[in-house]
Amino acid sequence: MSNEAKDFIREIVAGDLAGGKHREVVTRFPPEPNGYLHIGHAKSIALNFGIAAEFGGRCHLRFDDTNPSKEEMEYVESIKEDVRWLGFDWGRHLYFASDYFEQLYEWAVHLIREGAAYVDDQTAEEIRATRGTLTHPGAPSPYRGRPPEENLDLFQRMRAGEFPDGSRVLRAKIDMAAPNLNLRDPVLYRILHAHHHRTGDAWCVYPMYDFAHGQSDAIERITHSLCTLEFENHRPLYEWFIGNLPVPARPRQIEFARLNLTYTVLSKRKLLRLVKEGHVNGWDDPRMPTISGLRRRGYPPQAIRAFCDRIGLAKRDSTVDVALLEWAVRDHLNQTAPRVMGVLDPLKVVIENYPEDQVEEFDAPYFPDDPPKMGFRKVPFTRELYVERGDFMEEPPKKFWRLAPGREVRLRWAYLITCTGVVKDDDGRVVEVRCTYDPATRGGNAPDGRRVKGTIHWVSARHALAAEVRLYDRLFSDPDPEAAESGDDFLANLNPESLEVVEARLEPSLAGADAGERYQLERQGYFSVDPGTTDARLVLNRTVALRDSWAKIEQKLKG
Ligand code: ATP
Ligand code: MG
């Protein structure tokens, strides 16, 4: 496959391979196991695994688990599942930064011996306060001049557990006046008497992200270390470590813009808050932008990959319209989801001239545009049906082509019916619509050629499956939930109508549908069978409405 000039990173990779700098491209996806993956991570996954696949290289999955207090096995497992589900494979290249703790420690000792690292007894507070600013240089630590032997001794005793948390750190000795603050003697190791999910209690000193990341890349002989823009001014430090340590390879860090989406929050910290404070029902709530949430909602992995492909790569941060993601989902489901009928807001229809005990079955194609593609199912028709309440109006405006007193409408795949009257309850609410059907219109066309504009969906009342249908909408009502003008709390922008649960009536072919199956309910949208479905209770999640109803409503509100 040719990727010439597809984006600036692929251009660099192609150039490095063509110029003989590398024989093989090796990338990695390096999540910290402190939360579930989200759609932003999907961009990074698609990029790293995509480049490896396109250029015949490989991509590692490496857990950046240098931070013992936050990491949990649950996150590791969910991340693996999500990457696999997205369609990517790390083969045997599964790594953990914690596997490199011993090597990283040795490299820290190497720096100490070279006089390029020292143990600082200052508190974190003092270190921060003496770091200087963009306009003022930092002040050297009083411990900066410690001789290597003393540093070595102290560092070994730090490792041996002699000192309490926070009492000492190991710092690189670089330049307290460097214009880049990351080079002002950054902390390499801190003391943390904490249990680690993989190394247990073996360690009580842990490397900082910056000291672990580039060296882990080097150990794995990563050629191109792709990360998001916030690491751009960490690059000099990344290169300083690679240049000052006897590492086996020299990876190159390249930054790209992270994904931001309208109506969406993509910070793990904030997603964790949504979960912990109960604003959603867990990490895999279908309203969450997590991979597990999108999966549960019914988003196909192919659509997520197509979306990532389409947004491309940039060197400047920007925000992508979430409608583009929804478009990709519709585009894929339009090709792949069988069409069935279901009524979300049931209104009973009685066909007065249809025999009480009669049942007819219609062969309805699952994919009307190309019936052989998915075959047919049987749809039973009886005297009592349900139609959508919104498909009936007692006093309709002119262009309402659906059911109304005296008007004729087509029941999808079945007959033309004409409304003869209504039954109301004590409050004047229509509870039943009375109709007659024309037996000559079986299949939906009148032999006399009369034209009927409206076609509506329906289910046989007697055969209908009762199901819980969860109608999801955007979790936030503001396109920029984190915008300053809406207060500093993004929770103020939660959409109170992000979930509506309805008791629907579905055609019987859906009986026994398996979790994860996706359907189009005709005229309504795409739906996916929730994993919480049981034999006794079918639960559907609305993946996405057919057209962008939200945009329309919004336009109306604005207009
Ligand atoms: P958060 O800031 O939400 O905590 P993170 O960047 O700390 O996320 P990591 O687990 O460190 O989460 O991310 C793993 C990889 O995914 C990193 O290379 C990171 O740059 C990338 N990544 C994270 N968020 C995005 C995003 N929104 N768009 C593109 N890549 C992202
Ligand atoms: Mg991170």
Side-chain angles (χ1 to χ4, degrees), residues 29-32 38 40-41 43-44 228 256 258-259 266-268:
F29 173 64
E32 184 179 352
H38 54 59
H41 293 113
K43 174 177 178 177
S44 175
T228 36
F256 63 94
R258 62 195 294 127
L259 171 67
L266 288 182
S267 138
K268 272 193 248 174

Side-chain angles (χ1 to χ4, degrees), residues 30 32 64 209 230-231 268:
E32 184 179 352
D64 167 24
Y209 171 86
E230 67 269 26
F231 293 104
K268 272 193 248 174

Side-chain angles (χ1 to χ4, degrees), residues 162 193 220 242 248 258 274 284 292 338 350 364 374 485 498 517 544 552:
E162 279 188 37
H193 291 267
E220 294 175 20
I242 296 297
R258 62 195 294 127
L274 290 170
D284 70 342
S292 50
V350 177
M374 294 185 196
E485 61 265 30
S498 61
E517 281 181 19
V544 64
K552 272 195 204 155

